[in-house]
Amino acid sequence: DSGVTQTPKHLITATGQRVTLRCSPRSGDLSVYWYQQSLDQGLQFLIQYYNGEERAKGNILERFSAQQFPDLHSELNLSSLELGDSALYFCASSAGVMVYNEQFFGPGTRLTVL
Amino acid sequence: KNEVEQSPQNLTAQEGEFITINCSYSVGISALHWLQQHPGGGIVSLFMLSSGKKKHGRLIATINIQEKHSSLHITASHPRDSAVYICAVYNNNDMRFGAGTRLTVKP
């Protein structure tokens, strides 16, 4: 158990809908990262927050947004969902601000868009 | 051409064999990360490297910055090592992932 929690584990929704994925980092970690893993694209970095501020941005679509709250949990919002958004979404956390600090991954949320 | 290339894509070994998985990259990096993804989907961080060599149990990771190449070795492989191994490279705040190497270790 990495200490990183993600909810929900599974999510099934329809095209055009909006969903929110939630992540709680390990106790004491200030950075939260979001990743998308799809069958055709592999693992992709979406975005990093450090202590409430956006720190680094990867291949995150404009339809997606994230935030980190004062209690350090983070939410990833996915809107106007398309079939291609079906994927595993991972959250990870680390103590430091740089992306190459050791990261601890949550169990993931499997999103299915029908 | 992908910025991060892993080889082989798939690897099947007999229990006890010595395993090598390779990762080559084409960009300058700050660090390289080896990840293990279990069949159930969970991801575990194995090593973070910026130079030299690291060892943890039966796993050894090396990196050659000049040659832009890293290897992950597993000694005395075991069926529980069966997983996808993913290489990630970091350059400042950017990260790129390899497609992964699927390892199956047969008893």
Side-chain angles (χ1 to χ4, degrees):
Chain A
D1 184 358
S2 67
V4 179
T5 60
Q6 288 187 249
T7 56
K9 283 189 179 177
H10 303 275
L11 197 47
I12 301 174
T13 188
T15 54
Q17 295 298 304
R18 173 189 166 94
V19 297
T20 297
L21 312 183
R22 183 188 167 104
C23 169
S24 293
R26 287 190 326 155
S27 177
D29 283 357
L30 298 178
S31 275
V32 169
Y33 309 80
W34 286 100
Y35 299 91
Q36 179 194 57
Q37 187 178 40
S38 59
L39 281 175
D40 56 342
Q41 300 263 17
L43 200 55
Q44 289 195 93
F45 166 61
L46 297 178
I47 198 163
Q48 177 204 4
Y49 277 82
Y50 177 79
N51 204 21
E53 300 289 325
E54 183 184 303
R55 173 69 184 173
K57 215 165 185 175
N59 298 324
I60 189 165
L61 299 173
E62 284 192 13
R63 299 184 286 110
F64 296 180
S65 65
Q67 54 185 325
Q68 186 179 27
F69 295 87
D71 67 352
L72 300 176
H73 91 270
S74 178
E75 293 180 355
L76 179 67
N77 300 296
L78 315 176
S79 61
S80 303
L81 285 167
E82 302 175 359
L83 295 177
D85 297 328
S86 295
L88 262 173
Y89 291 84
F90 288 100
C91 161
S93 74
S94 72
V97 63
M98 299 307 293
V99 297
Y100 49 79
N101 291 136
E102 184 177 15
Q103 296 181 27
F104 297 86
F105 284 77
T109 292
R110 184 172 296 278
L111 173 67
T112 302
V113 182
L114 301 175
Chain B
K1 187 180 190 296
N2 289 337
E3 290 170 314
V4 185
E5 296 276 356
Q6 285 188 238
S7 62
Q9 280 187 306
N10 295 283
L11 182 55
T12 300
Q14 287 298 130
E15 184 172 356
E17 284 185 3
F18 181 82
I19 305 291
T20 296
I21 298 170
N22 298 298
C23 175
S24 296
Y25 51 92
S26 56
V27 297
I29 66 168
S30 310
L32 182 144
H33 201 173
W34 281 104
L35 304 167
Q36 179 192 53
Q37 186 167 27
H38 294 285
I43 295 177
V44 174
S45 170
L46 296 177
F47 296 103
M48 185 73 84
L49 293 161
S50 55
S51 65
K53 177 178 172 177
K54 286 190 176 179
K55 184 176 190 292
H56 186 258
R58 295 180 295 106
L59 273 59
I60 303 165
T62 64
I63 188 168
N64 185 318
I65 297 292
Q66 286 75 29
E67 294 186 5
K68 295 191 167 132
H69 180 268
S70 175
S71 293
L72 176 67
H73 306 286
I74 305 175
T75 61
S77 59
H78 190 276
R80 65 174 174 265
D81 297 324
S82 297
V84 176
Y85 292 83
I86 300 169
C87 163
V89 300
Y90 301 87
N91 181 11
N92 295 320
N93 282 335
D94 186 36
M95 30 178 136
R96 297 278 185 257
F97 293 88
T101 293
R102 183 175 299 277
L103 172 65
T104 303
V105 182
K106 294 186 174 180

